[in-house]
C-alpha cells in the first residue's frame, strides 16, 4: 500500500475512543453530530456499545470518485423542492445512483479490518450527518439505520445505503426549508456492536410536551427500540421527577409489536398479544435510567434526547442529542423562586427575534420607566424587568402575580393586548408556588410613588374636565420633545457620542410619554367602560323580548351598541396614517401614467424608482410628503434594528397596489371611516335616548358627556408608541447617517457595514468606539447565523416559567369551547371579539405584510399585527389574528 493510500485510509475510520485531539481537529465536520456525541460519551465512561466511525472523508471521496457532485447539483437545481412528488422522484434517482457505484478500494479494506478487529459481531449501522442533531434544529429520523447487520459484505452494502439516505425526500425538503446548503452536508457512518435488548426506548431529560426542565420522560418498549422510533408500537410512558426519582405518571402501553434480531442477520417483527400485561421496566430500573439521563445532560449542560437499550441487567446509551423543541429560558440567577415571564413580542404583535441592539434599546427604555416609580438608579445593566431568551424579550411579572392587587390589575389590562395570556395566567394563579405574598405598599414605597401618583391624578382630573385641551397639550409637549431630540442629534460627532445620546434618549422616553398619555387614555377607557355598563343595564333581558317591541327606544338598543362607540375614532395617528396612504392612492389613480406603472411594475421596481426620483412628479412629491411624516414606521418597528419604510418602501407599494384595486367606492377606506363615525354617533344617540327614558335628562347628559370624552381621548392610544418610534428613529437615522464614517476613522478597518451595528449590543458598540481590537467580523457572522436560526423557530410561547413550563395555545384551546360562541365543537376556531358586525369573504393567510397581495374584501388571517399591518386593514373585509 502506498503512503498516500495509507494516509487516506487513516482519514476514513476512527474508533469511538479516538484521542480527544483527533476529534477536536475535525469534530462535527468529520464524524457528524451523532458520531461525535457517541465518541464524547465513550471517552466520558458512559456505557456505549463499542464500534467505529466512518468519517465524512470516505463519503466525499466516494462522491468525488464517481463525479456525483456536479450531477447532484444539476438534479437539485432542476427540482421544485416544495413539490413532494418531485422530491420523491429525485430521491429515487439519487439513491439508485449510489447503489450502482462501488466503494473506494482503500475504504473497503479499511472497513473489513476494523470489523474483524471488533470481533465481526452483529452490528447496527447508523447515519451521522454533519447537519444532524444540532441544538437549533433536529434532523432525527431523516437518515436510515440498519440493525443486526452480519458479515463484512452486508456491512459494506449498509454503509452505501446509509450514504444514499442523506438524499431521502424528507431530508432534502427539510434542508431546503431550513436554509441548509446541500453542497455543505456530508454523511459519516456509525458501526456499533448490536445490543440484543430486552427493552429499549427513548428518554428526554426535560419534558418535551410542557418544557419542564425538572421532569424526565421515558418511553419504553420490549425488544429493539426500532419499533418505537418507527411508530409501530404503543410504548410504556413514564414521567419522573428527575431530582427525587418519584414517578409522577405511569402509563403501560400495549407493546403489541416487538422487533428482534434474527440469528442469520436482519430483524423480525412479531405480534405480541400480552405486551401490555407487564411494564417494560421495573420502577427501580426507571429510576436508574433517570439518573443515567441526568448524568448525560449534566455533561453536555443542556437537556438531552437519548436512545437507550437494556440488556443483561445493564443500560446502554445508543445516542444522545439536544432536545431541539424546548424554548430556551431567560438567564436569571438572583433568585431560586419560580419566575413567570410574559412574551413582550406577543403584546407587541412581533413574534420574530429582536436584534441585539433592539433588545438593549427596549431594556433601556424600560429602565427609564422604572425611574418613574422612584428607582432612580435603574440602568440597562441592572434592570430586572425584561430578559432575553431565544433572542426575544420576556417581561418578568412574578411580583405582579404574587400580589393581590397585581393580579387584579393584570387580569383587567392584559386582555387588551393578549386575551389568551390571561387564560393561562388565571390557571397559574392556582399554583401554590405562586401564592399571593404581596402586602399593602410600605410607607417608604408610598413616599417614593407619591410624586408620580399626584402627577397622574392631576392630569386625569384635567383630562376629565377639559378633554380637548388635554389632548392638544399632550401633542404639543410631544412635538417639543421630538424637536429637542433632533437638535441633540446634531451634536453627535462620534460613535461614542451616539452611544451616550442613545442611552439618554431611551431613558427619557417613558418619563415623557407615560405621564402624558396614560392618565388621558385611562379617562377615555374608564368612560368607555362605564358606557358598556350602562348599555348592559339598559338592554332588556332575552326573556322579555316580547316587551321589547312595545318600547321604541329599547328595540333599537342591543348588546352591540357599546362596541359601536369606538368606530370611526378620531385623533388616532395610525388611522390618520392609513387614510393618508389611501389619499396617496387616489393621487396615483388620477395620474394616468402613474396608474399604468402601478399596474404593470412590481412593488420593488416602484420602490427603486422612488429612490431614483423617477416616479411621475405628483406621485413622487406625495410619497415624499407621506414618508416625511410616516417613514419611521415599518414591520416590527419596535425593534431598532428593523428596516423602516423610509429606507425600504416596497411594502407601501404592495398596499397601494391593493388600494388601487378597490373599485366599489362604498368599500373605500375614507367612506368606511365616515360610516364608522356615523354609526358611532347613532349608537351614542340610541344610548342617550334609552338613558333619558330610564333616568330622565341627567341620564342622557351623562351618556353624551362620557361619549364625548371617549371620542376626544381614546384615539390617543396609538400616540405613545408613535412617539417612541419617532424618537428611536431619530437615533437610528443618526447612526446610519454617520456609521460608515465612524467605522473607517479612529477604529481603523473593522470590515463592518452600518447595518451590522444593530447585531451588536450597546456595550459592544462602546468597546468598538474605543478602537479596541477584536474579530468583529467573526462575531457578526455568529450573530447573524443565530438570528437566522431563531427566525425559523416556531411556535413561540405566550408565557414561560423558570422551571421550563411553556404555554403556547390561544383562546379556548385547552377546552375546545367557543369563546363568545357557546360552541363546544373542537373544530371551531374561537377567539375574543373586538369589533361588532359580521364579515364574510375569501380567507387569505398572510405571514408577512410586505408581500400580502390582499384583495379587497378578503378576510385577513395573520399571527399578530403591529402598525405596519394596519394599511391592510382598510382593504380587508375582516381580520383574524
Amino acid at each position: 500500500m502506498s503512503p498516500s493510500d495509507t494516509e487516506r485510509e487513516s482519514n476514513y475510520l476512527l474508533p469511538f475512543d479516538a484521542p480527544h485531539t483527533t476529534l477536536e481537529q475535525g469534530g462535527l465536520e468529520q464524524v457528524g453530530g451523532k458520531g461525535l456525541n457517541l465518541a464524547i460519551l465513550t471517552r466520558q465512561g458512559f456505557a456505549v456499545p463499542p464500534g467505529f466511525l466512518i468519517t465524512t472523508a470516505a463519503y466525499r471521496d466516494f462522491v468525488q470518485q464517481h463525479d456525483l457532485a456536479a450531477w447532484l447539483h444539476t438534479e437539485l437545481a432542476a427540482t421544485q423542492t416544495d413539490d413532494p412528488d418531485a422530491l420523491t422522484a429525485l430521491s429515487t434517482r439519487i439513491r439508485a445512483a449510489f447503489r450502482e457505484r462501488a466503494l473506494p478500494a482503500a475504504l473497503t479494506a479499511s472497513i473489513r479490518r476494523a470489523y474483524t478487529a471488533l470481533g465481526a459481531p452483529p452490528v447496527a449501522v447508523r447515519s451521522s450527518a454533519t447537519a444532524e442533531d444540532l441544538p437549533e434544529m433536529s434532523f432525527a429520523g431523516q437518515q436510515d439505520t440498519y440493525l443486526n447487520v452480519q458479515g463484512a459484505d452486508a456491512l459494506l452494502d449498509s454503509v452505501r445505503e446509509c450514504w444514499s439516505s442523506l438524499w431521502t425526500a424528507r431530508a432534502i425538503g427539510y434542508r431546503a426549508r431550513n436554509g441548509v446548503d446541500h453542497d455543505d452536508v456530508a454523511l459519516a457512518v456509525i458501526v456499533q456492536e448490536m445490543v440484543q435488548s430486552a427493552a429499549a426506548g427513548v428518554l428526554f431529560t426535560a419534558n418535551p410536551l410542557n418544557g419542564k426542565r425538572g421532569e424526565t420522560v421515558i418511553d419504553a418498549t420490549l425488544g429493539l427500540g426500532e419499533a418505537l422510533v418507527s411508530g409501530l408500537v404503543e410504548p410504556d410512558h413514564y414521567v419522573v421527577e428527575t431530582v427525587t426519582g418519584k414517578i409522577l405518571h405511569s402509563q403501560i402501553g400495549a407493546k403489541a409489536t416487538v422487533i428482534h434480531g434474527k440469528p442469520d442477520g436482519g430483524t423480525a417483527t412479531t405480534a405480541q398479544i400480552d405486551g401490555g400485561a407487564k411494564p417494560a421496566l421495573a420502577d427501580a430500573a426507571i429510576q436508574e435510567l433517570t439518573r443515567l439521563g441526568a448524568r448525560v445532560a449534566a455533561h453536555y449542560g443542556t437537556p438531552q434526547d437519548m436512545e437507550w437499550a437494556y440488556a443483561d441487567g445493564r443500560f446502554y446509551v445508543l445516542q444522545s442529542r439536544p432536545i431541539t423543541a424546548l424554548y430556551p429560558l431567560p438567564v436569571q440567577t438572583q433568585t431560586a423562586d419560580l419566575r413567570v415571564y410574559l412574551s413582550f413580542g406577543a403584546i407587541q404583535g412581533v413574534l420574530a427575534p429582536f436584534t441585539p441592539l433592539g433588545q438593549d434599546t427596549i431594556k433601556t427604555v424600560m429602565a427609564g420607566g422604572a425611574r418613574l416609580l422612584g428607582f432612580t438608579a435603574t440602568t440597562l445593566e441592572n434592570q430586572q424587568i425584561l430578559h432575553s431568551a431565544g433572542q426575544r424579550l420576556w417581561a418578568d411579572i412574578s411580583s405582579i402575580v404574587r400580589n393581590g392587587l397585581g393580579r387584579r390589575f393584570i387580569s383587567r389590562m392584559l386582555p387588551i393586548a393578549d386575551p389568551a395570556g390571561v387564560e393561562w395566567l388565571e390557571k397559574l394563579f392556582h399554583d401554590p408556588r405562586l401564592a399571593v405574598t404581596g402586602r399593602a405598599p410600605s410607607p417608604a414605597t408610598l413616599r417614593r410613588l407619591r410624586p408620580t401618583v399626584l402627577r397622574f391624578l392631576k392630569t386625569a382630573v384635567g383630562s376629565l374636565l377639559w378633554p380637548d385641551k388635554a389632548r392638544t397639550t399632550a401633542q404639543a409637549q410631544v412635538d417639543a420633545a421630538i424637536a429637542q431630540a433632533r437638535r441633540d442629534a446634531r451634536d453627535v460627532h462620534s460613535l461614542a457620542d451616539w452611544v451616550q445620546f442613545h442611552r439618554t434618549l431611551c431613558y427619557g422616553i417613558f418619563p415623557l410619554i407615560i405621564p402624558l398619555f396614560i392618565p388621558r387614555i385611562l379617562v377615555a377607557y374608564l368612560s368607555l367602560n362605564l358606557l358598556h355598563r350602562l348599555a348592559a343595564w339598559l338592554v332588556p333581558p332575552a326573556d322579555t323580548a316580547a316587551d321589547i317591541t312595545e318600547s321604541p327606544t329599547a328595540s333599537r338598543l342591543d348588546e352591540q351598541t357599546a362596541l359601536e362607540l369606538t368606530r370611526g375614532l378620531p385623533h388616532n395617528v395610525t388611522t390618520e396614517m392609513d387614510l393618508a396612504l389611501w389619499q396617496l392612492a387616489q393621487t396615483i389613480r388620477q395620474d394616468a401614467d402613474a396608474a399604468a406603472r402601478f399596474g404593470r411594475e412590481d412593488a420593488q421596481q416602484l420602490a427603486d424608482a422612488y429612490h431614483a426620483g423617477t416616479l411621475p412628479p405628483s406621485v413622487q412629491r406625495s410619497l415624499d410628503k407621506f414618508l416625511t411624516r410616516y417613514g419611521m414606521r415599518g414591520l416590527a418597528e419596535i425593534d431598532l434594528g428593523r428596516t423602516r419604510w423610509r429606507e425600504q418602501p416596497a411594502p407601501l407599494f404592495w398596499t397601494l397596489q391593493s388600494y388601487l384595486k378597490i373599485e366599489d367606492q362604498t368599500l373605500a377606506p375614507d367612506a368606511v371611516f365616515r360610516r364608522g363615525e356615523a354609526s358611532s354617533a347613532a349608537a351614542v344617540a340610541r344610548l342617550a335616548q334609552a338613558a333619558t327614558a330610564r333616568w330622565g335628562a341627567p341620564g342622557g347628559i351623562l351618556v353624551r358627556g362620557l361619549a364625548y370624552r371617549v371620542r376626544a381621548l381614546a384615539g390617543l392610544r396609538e400616540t405613545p408608541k408613535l412617539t417612541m418610534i419617532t424618537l428611536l428613529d431619530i437615533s437610528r437615522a443618526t447612526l446610519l447617517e454617520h456609521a460608515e464614517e465612524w467605522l473607517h476613522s479612529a477604529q481603523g478597518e473593522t470590515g463592518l457595514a452600518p447595518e451590522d451595528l444593530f447585531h451588536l449590543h450597546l456595550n459592544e458598540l462602546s468597546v468598538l468606539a474605543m478602537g479596541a481590537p477584536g474579530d468583529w467580523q467573526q462575531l457578526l457572522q455568529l450573530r447573524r447565523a443565530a438570528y437566522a436560526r431563531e427566525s425559523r423557530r416556531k411556535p413561540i410561547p405566550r408565557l414561560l416559567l423558570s422551571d421550563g413550563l411553556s404555554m403556547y395555545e390561544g383562546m379556548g384551546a385547552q377546552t375546545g369551547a367557543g369563546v363568545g360562541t357557546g360552541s363546544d365543537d373542537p373544530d371551531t376556531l374561537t377567539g375574543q371579539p373586538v369589533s361588532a358586525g359580521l364579515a364574510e369573504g375569501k380567507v387569505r393567510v398572510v405571514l408577512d405584510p410586505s408581500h400580502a397581495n390582499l384583495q379587497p374584501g378578503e378576510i385577513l388571517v395573520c399571527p399578530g399585527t403591529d402598525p405596519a399591518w394596519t394599511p391592510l386593514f382598510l382593504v380587508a373585509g375582516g381580520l383574524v389574528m
Side-chain angles (χ1 to χ4, degrees), residues 358-435:
Q359 294 175 46
D360 285 356
T361 295
I362 301 301
K363 289 178 181 179
T364 308
V365 170
M366 288 293 182
R371 297 178 179 188
L372 276 174
L373 303 178
F375 298 105
T376 56
T378 304
T379 66
L380 164 65
E381 288 73 21
N382 64 22
Q383 66 86 31
Q384 294 297 319
I385 306 164
L386 286 180
H387 302 268
S388 297
Q391 299 201 23
R392 293 165 178 86
L393 293 171
W394 299 85
D396 185 345
I397 59 170
S398 310
S399 58
I400 297 176
V401 171
R402 288 191 170 95
N403 183 280
L405 287 174
R407 286 189 175 190
R408 289 195 290 273
F409 172 80
I410 199 168
S411 295
R412 290 179 180 272
M413 298 303 295
L414 189 56
I416 297 173
D418 186 13
V422 176
E423 286 195 3
W424 279 111
L425 270 179
E426 289 176 348
K427 291 178 181 294
L428 292 177
F429 290 166
H430 301 291
D431 191 323
R433 297 172 298 171
L434 295 169

Side-chain angles (χ1 to χ4, degrees), residues 332 334-341 398 402 433-434 802-803:
Q332 192 173 46
Q334 80 279 9
T335 177
D337 293 338
L338 185 68
R339 314 301 297 179
V340 182
Y341 302 100
S398 310
R402 288 191 170 95
R433 297 172 298 171
L434 295 169
S802 57
D803 67 355

Side-chain angles (χ1 to χ4, degrees), residues 449-752:
L449 296 176
R450 184 172 179 272
T452 298
V453 171
L454 290 176
R455 184 180 176 187
F456 270 48
L457 288 174
K458 180 180 178 181
T459 302
V461 171
S463 301
L464 186 63
L465 295 175
W466 305 288
D468 286 326
K469 180 182 178 182
R471 185 186 66 253
T472 56
T473 299
Q475 189 59 55
Q477 292 186 48
V478 163
D479 292 343
I482 291 171
Q484 183 61 52
R486 295 190 194 282
R487 289 192 293 271
D488 292 343
R490 290 196 287 270
D491 294 329
V492 174
H493 303 296
S494 67
L495 184 56
D497 287 348
W498 182 86
V499 170
Q500 185 57 47
F501 166 74
H502 187 68
R503 281 180 177 267
T504 302
L505 181 76
C506 291
Y507 285 138
I509 287 177
F510 272 7
L512 168 71
I513 63 178
I514 289 179
L516 269 184
F517 291 106
I518 298 304
R520 291 165 167 85
I521 294 171
L522 282 176
V523 166
Y525 280 91
L526 287 173
S527 300
L528 181 63
N529 182 265
L530 185 52
L531 285 170
H532 276 265
R533 291 177 180 272
L534 288 172
W537 290 334
L538 292 169
V539 173
D543 57 5
T544 62
D547 300 329
I548 293 177
T549 56
E550 300 173 8
S551 170
T553 300
S555 67
R556 296 194 303 272
L557 191 69
D558 58 33
E559 59 187 10
Q560 299 294 326
T561 298
L563 286 174
E564 295 178 14
L565 295 173
T566 55
R567 285 186 170 181
L569 199 63
H571 316 302
N572 184 309
V573 291
T574 302
T575 302
E576 291 169 355
M577 176 188 74
D578 297 340
L579 291 174
L581 191 62
W582 168 252
Q583 290 304 317
L584 178 54
Q586 303 321 295
T587 300
I588 297 167
R589 191 189 298 273
Q590 294 162 11
D591 186 317
D593 179 32
R597 288 190 64 175
F598 272 72
R600 69 174 181 267
E601 296 182 16
D602 65 32
Q604 189 57 57
Q605 289 175 313
L606 293 167
D608 293 341
Y610 168 73
H611 280 308
T614 58
L615 288 176
S618 63
V619 178
Q620 189 79 30
R621 288 193 301 270
S622 296
L623 270 167
D624 283 338
K625 182 179 178 181
F626 180 87
L627 289 174
T628 297
R629 180 70 182 89
Y630 299 110
M632 82 293 288
R633 311 227 75 157
L635 182 63
E637 62 192 13
I638 198 71
D639 179 358
L640 187 75
R642 296 295 288 267
T643 303
R644 312 290 152 163
W645 285 342
R646 181 184 59 252
E647 301 154 11
Q648 175 49 278
L652 291 177
F653 287 95
W654 275 99
T655 303
L656 287 168
Q657 288 174 321
S658 294
Y659 283 3
L660 291 171
K661 295 175 183 176
I662 299 178
E663 299 295 341
D664 184 350
Q665 288 305 302
T666 63
L667 299 178
D670 51 356
V672 173
F673 183 78
R674 287 193 297 270
R675 287 200 299 274
E677 288 181 310
S679 174
S680 176
V684 172
R686 293 198 305 274
L687 194 56
Q689 185 179 4
T692 300
R694 178 75 62 87
W695 298 306
I701 293 171
L702 175 63
V703 165
R704 293 186 183 278
L706 291 171
Y708 172 67
R709 281 151 181 80
V710 171
R711 305 290 293 176
L713 296 172
L716 291 177
R717 65 190 182 195
E718 298 289 336
T719 306
K721 184 174 182 180
L722 178 64
T723 302
M724 177 177 172
I725 297 303
T726 302
L727 290 168
L728 292 179
D729 183 66
I730 294 171
S731 186
R732 175 182 168 90
T734 302
L735 179 62
L736 289 176
E737 180 181 359
H738 301 291
E740 191 165 352
E741 171 193 346
W742 295 337
L743 289 170
H744 292 85
S745 58
Q747 294 88 350
E749 188 61 46
T750 62
L752 302 181

Side-chain angles (χ1 to χ4, degrees), residues 141-153:
Q142 293 184 14
Q143 278 82 51
D144 291 344
T145 293
Y146 299 90
L147 300 177
N148 206 41
V149 176
Q150 296 191 23
D153 291 340

